[in-house]
């Protein structure tokens, strides 16, 4: 298959490793004995996590407001920020073990700059996945990172003494930055071996979009204005969900040394349960529904996460079997919310015609802002009232389901009504200007010719050719229903037949075959 392969590759594995190191880093800072003196010393101010989140909020707002400047600053950041984050981690750990500076101020400063470095590293990994990998590969990379975090945090938390815990945490930002460079080079080699577009097609576009010096994969689905608003609403919902779920899990307040998924079952069983649930959630709630319209695509994952939130509001006797089960549900829900959030961000990066740094900054600003509010709220009360949790969950449900209250409009020619929305597959949006009209028309003509060639080669029927052409133009299934006056089940059947004949599994693989140098030949 032309383009990046659907199976796991070096870039996917390295991104999973680097993302895992980021998660381990912040978990060690908040939940291991090496950092407890600083966490205990700051309790008179507020929970230390609030300062870490403040650093994330500041840099995410900068990403959202000044995406071009932050992108241009990468050359400076790539060498400076990992070192700054490492120094910030050391400042937090040692703040209450020295007399030269005010301990509280030094700890707060260290946490803020650590939060800045953490966000910058996490954003880079997910941007790399979004721009160079298929959605399914990105999902499995994040699943792998979350599972590996469970293993490493448990190992570091229980087997290392407090001094080594601090040393490992101080080193992790630098190690993560080095792993990212390895992942970037792996992605670059991968795309060079199997470019997303044939040279003839790429040469006729006005310019090639790049991220970290790597040509970006083509955008898969073009959306009209209302669909883009729906997707932005889902981004906000995912950010709120992650903030609330993390706030009521053991990760919500720093200073607790509980680092395992469950203390009521064996460690190996706990890891097996976490890994199995992550795989099932990723496969069926995220990858399995990626062909659905954006307005409902993430509803199954949102509803599963919301169910876990409602379980948090139940009152059970501590020490009872029910309490142990609910504890596991809460921790699994945190993993689900984390996976959902970044998958929504990656989908938004693929679909929205705005700078990539702005998308990531907006999403993380929502998460960090809501998280800070929850940390402050929980720090001011000994317990969160059940009614408050239920009201928060209900508000998220209403916000999420709001996207179903209006139907996206289409123009008379079946293309999106939004003049800013492209009706064909185009290179993924980046931080530069849009493609000029002439280049867009030429690319559209070339894609139409390529559709006819593949339809003849793989023996598509007349109706399958029509559906195939609509998909190549970036039409959603709902748009294809309107264009061709077909039922939803009929469109679904045609799409399944097209995928089977082409030997691909989803629209991204189909577009890679359509634009790539090589054909899949039925293998992936």
């Amino acid at each position: 298959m032309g383009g990046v392969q659907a199976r796991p590759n070096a870039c996917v594995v390295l991104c999973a490793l680097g993302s895992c190191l980021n998660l381990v880093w912040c978990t060690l800072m908040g939940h291991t004995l090496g950092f407890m003196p600083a966490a205990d010393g700051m309790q008179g101010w507020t929970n230390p996590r609030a300062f870490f989140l403040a650093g994330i909020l500041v840099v995410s707002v900068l990403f959202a407001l000044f995406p071009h400047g932050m992108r241009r600053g990468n050359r400076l950041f790539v060498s400076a920020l990992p070192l700054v984050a490492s120094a910030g981690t050391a400042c937090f750990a040692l703040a209450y073990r020295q007399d030269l500076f005010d301990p509280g101020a030094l700890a707060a400063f260290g946490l803020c700059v650590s939060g800045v470095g953490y966000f910058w590293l996490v954003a880079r990994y997910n941007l790399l996945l979004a721009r160079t990998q298929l959605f399914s590969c990105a999902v499995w990379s994040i699943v792998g990172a979350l599972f590996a975090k469970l293993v490493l945090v448990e190992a570091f938390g229980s087997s290392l003494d407090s001094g080594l815990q601090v040393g490992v945490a101080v080193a992790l930002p630098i190690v993560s930055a080095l792993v990212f460079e390895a992942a970037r080079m792996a992605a670059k080699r991968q795309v060079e071996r199997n470019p997303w577009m044939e040279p003839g097609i790429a040469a006729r576009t006005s310019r090639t979009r790049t991220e970290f010096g790597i040509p970006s994969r083509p955008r898969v689905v073009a959306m009209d204005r209302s669909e883009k608003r729906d997707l932005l609403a889902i981004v906000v919902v995912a950010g709120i969900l992650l903030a609330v779920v993390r706030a009521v899990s053991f990760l919500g307040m720093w200073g607790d040394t509980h680092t395992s998924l469950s203390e009521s079952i064996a460690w190996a069983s706990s890891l097996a349960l976490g890994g199995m649930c992550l795989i099932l959630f990723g496969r069926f709630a995220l990858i399995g529904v990626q062909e659905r319209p954006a307005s409902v695509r993430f509803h199954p994952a949102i509803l599963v996460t919301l169910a876990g939130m409602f379980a948090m509001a139940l009152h059970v006797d501590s020490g009872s079997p029910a309490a142990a089960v609910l504890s596991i549900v809460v921790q699994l829900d945190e993993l689900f919310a984390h996976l959902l959030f970044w998958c929504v961000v990656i989908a938004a990066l693929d679909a929205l015609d705005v700078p990539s740094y702005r998308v990531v900054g907006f999403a993380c600003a929502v998460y960090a802002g809501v998280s800070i509010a929850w940390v402050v709220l929980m720090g001011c009360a000994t317990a969160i009232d059940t009614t408050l949790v239920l009201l928060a969950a209900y508000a998220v449900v209403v916000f999420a389901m709001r996207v179903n209250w209006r139907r996206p409009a289409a123009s008379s020619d079946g293309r999106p009504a939004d003049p800013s929305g492209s009706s064909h597959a185009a290179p993924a949006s980046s931080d530069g200007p849009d493609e000029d009209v002439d280049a867009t028309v030429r690319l559209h003509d070339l894609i139409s010719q390529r559709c006819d060639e593949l339809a003849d080669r793989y023996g598509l029927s007349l109706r399958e050719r029509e559906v195939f052409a609509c998909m190549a133009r970036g039409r959603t299934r709902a748009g294809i229903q309107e264009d061709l006056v077909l039922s939803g089940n009929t469109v679904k059947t045609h799409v399944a037949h097209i995928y089977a004949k082409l030997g691909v599994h989803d629209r991204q693989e189909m577009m890679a075959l359509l634009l790539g140098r090589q054909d899949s030949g039925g293998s992936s």
Side-chain angles (χ1 to χ4, degrees), residues 158-300:
S158 60
S159 62
L160 299 181
D161 63 34
S162 59
L164 286 176
Q165 289 170 353
V166 172
V168 169
V170 169
L172 282 178
I174 299 173
V175 176
S176 176
L178 294 175
V179 172
F180 176 82
E181 290 304 311
R184 186 181 69 83
M185 294 306 299
K188 186 174 182 179
R189 290 193 297 269
Q190 187 179 7
V191 175
E192 287 174 350
R193 288 195 302 267
N194 296 292
W196 282 109
M197 291 188 184
E198 289 183 353
I201 295 178
R204 289 173 171 82
T205 62
S206 61
R207 68 195 204 112
T208 301
R209 307 292 186 175
T210 62
E211 195 71 66
F212 307 117
I214 306 169
S216 298
R217 62 177 175 78
R219 191 189 313 148
V220 177
V221 178
M223 295 182 178
D224 63 27
R225 184 175 300 170
S226 64
E227 289 176 311
K228 292 173 183 177
R229 286 197 301 264
D230 292 344
L231 186 55
L232 277 176
I234 296 297
V235 170
V236 174
V237 168
I240 294 173
L241 270 175
L242 178 58
V244 174
V245 171
R246 285 177 70 91
V248 295
S249 72
F250 74 86
L251 297 173
M253 303 293 280
W254 283 13
D256 180 3
T257 57
H258 174 206
T259 57
S260 61
L261 182 65
S262 173
E263 295 179 338
S264 60
I265 58 178
W267 179 63
S269 300
S270 174
L271 290 177
L273 176 63
M276 180 182 65
C277 291
L278 277 171
I279 290 172
L280 292 175
F281 185 80
R283 174 62 183 86
F284 294 104
L286 294 170
I287 295 175
V289 297
Q290 62 177 308
E291 289 293 327
R292 296 184 182 179
S295 59
V296 297
R297 172 179 173 182
F298 293 101
H299 281 188

Side-chain angles (χ1 to χ4, degrees), residues 9 14 49 77 98-100 124 132 141 171 288 291-292 298 309 363 375 408 413 416 420 428 448:
N9 52 68
L14 288 168
R49 183 168 176 252
F77 299 150
Q98 53 81 44
D99 299 321
L100 294 177
R124 283 167 70 80
T132 66
S141 181
E291 289 293 327
R292 296 184 182 179
F298 293 101
M309 283 182 58
V375 169
D413 65 352
S420 67
S448 296

